Amino acid sequence: CRYAEFGKQWYQRRVRAHYCEVCEVEVFNLLFVHDRKVHCESCARSASKTLEHFVVLEEYEISDLTEVLEKFEKVPPPPETETLESFKDDVERLPPCLRDL
């Protein structure tokens, strides 16, 4: 793991989301913490290129996230119930004054 040299620690996930103290982007899984403040990786590296004095907390193991992603199945969209032709037919049934609205 590339973060091991920066003091990676396991972190017990909480229910609430975490946000970067600097840019306010939501931070997921890898929390870069300095003085009890959470940073995204970009802001942490802006503050310290080597991440010196940062502790990296990992909420989930990457292997667990990979397993969930691999099991994910995309649900096909529902069949079209309305077609352009049926829409045109409906418009033609309207009174002429309403057709061009």
Side-chain angles (χ1 to χ4, degrees):
C1 179
R2 71 181 188 149
Y3 299 107
E5 67 219 48
F6 303 118
K8 176 179 146 183
Q9 298 179 14
W10 294 108
Y11 177 71
Q12 183 65 31
R13 186 178 77 85
R14 294 184 184 167
V15 176
R16 69 180 188 90
H18 298 278
Y19 296 90
C20 176
E21 291 284 332
V22 178
C23 69
E24 297 182 0
V25 70
E26 185 175 355
V27 180
F28 176 74
N29 196 38
L30 295 176
L31 310 176
F32 295 81
V33 181
H34 181 261
D35 290 335
R36 296 182 173 227
K37 295 179 181 173
V38 174
H39 301 275
C40 66
E41 182 177 7
S42 178
C43 290
R45 289 197 183 274
S46 292
S48 173
K49 297 282 187 225
T50 62
L51 297 177
E52 189 175 358
H53 304 295
F54 277 88
V55 175
V56 180
L57 303 177
E58 184 176 29
E59 293 183 283
Y60 302 95
E61 287 191 54
I62 297 299
S63 59
D64 291 342
L65 294 175
T66 302
E67 183 180 332
V68 169
L69 181 63
E70 289 173 350
K71 290 180 179 178
F72 180 78
E73 292 182 25
K74 186 176 179 182
V75 177
E80 287 287 329
T81 55
E82 294 289 326
T83 64
L84 187 55
E85 292 303 317
S86 66
F87 178 73
K88 287 178 182 176
D89 291 341
D90 290 340
V91 170
E92 289 185 12
R93 284 190 230 135
L94 291 173
C97 63
L98 297 178
R99 289 183 193 166
D100 296 328
L101 294 178

